[in-house]
Amino acid sequence: MDSGLTGDRIGLMINFEKSKIVRMQIIRLRVNEKIIGNLLSLLSGFSKEEIEIITEDEEFVSVQNYLKAELRRLEEGKATYITLEDLDRALEKKIKGYENNHH
């Protein structure tokens, strides 16, 4: 059975319920192509609230790397912060620029 996942890493988010707080644990598995179909069949018996299969494709890895870099900037004190008012003004200015160019 060809899963179409050959060579991809798969992250599993497994839902463990602890005192009314639902926490998702993430595990990584490296799975032999010969059993990937069987494993996916087994996992499909669980609901999305219990297990979510996350395929780590190029976009996933790219976003993950971006977020790690942003977190590092925050932790190192190199991040730039703005107020909500400044953000609102910047967005309004950008929107007006687009409106003026399209009329």
Side-chain angles (χ1 to χ4, degrees):
M1 171 181 191
D2 182 21
S3 67
L5 298 175
T6 305
D8 288 346
R9 289 182 293 173
I10 298 175
L12 298 177
M13 294 180 69
I14 302 177
N15 184 351
F16 296 102
E17 194 163 330
K18 294 181 181 175
S19 62
K20 296 185 182 181
I21 297 174
V22 177
R23 298 180 185 191
M24 299 294 276
Q25 302 292 320
I26 298 175
I27 62 172
R28 286 188 177 176
L29 302 172
R30 195 169 301 198
V31 180
N32 186 302
E33 290 179 37
K34 295 176 185 175
I35 67 157
I36 189 70
N38 293 337
L39 178 61
L40 292 174
S41 291
L42 172 70
L43 296 175
S44 68
F46 293 93
S47 72
K48 182 144 175 115
E49 290 78 31
E50 293 172 316
I51 294 180
E52 180 179 352
I53 299 173
I54 303 168
T55 303
E56 294 184 9
D57 58 10
E58 287 182 33
E59 181 181 1
F60 175 88
V61 173
S62 174
V63 169
Q64 186 179 44
N65 289 336
Y66 168 77
L67 292 173
K68 284 180 182 178
E70 290 299 305
L71 178 60
R72 232 183 347 271
R73 287 182 44 165
L74 286 169
E75 292 172 342
E76 294 170 355
K78 297 178 181 177
T80 304
Y81 300 92
I82 63 171
T83 66
L84 288 176
E85 292 80 15
D86 289 342
L87 175 62
D88 190 47
R89 280 192 288 276
L91 291 173
E92 286 296 326
K93 183 177 178 182
K94 187 63 97 172
I95 290 168
K96 285 181 183 177
Y98 282 114
E99 289 173 348
N100 292 338
N101 290 333
H102 291 94
H103 282 85

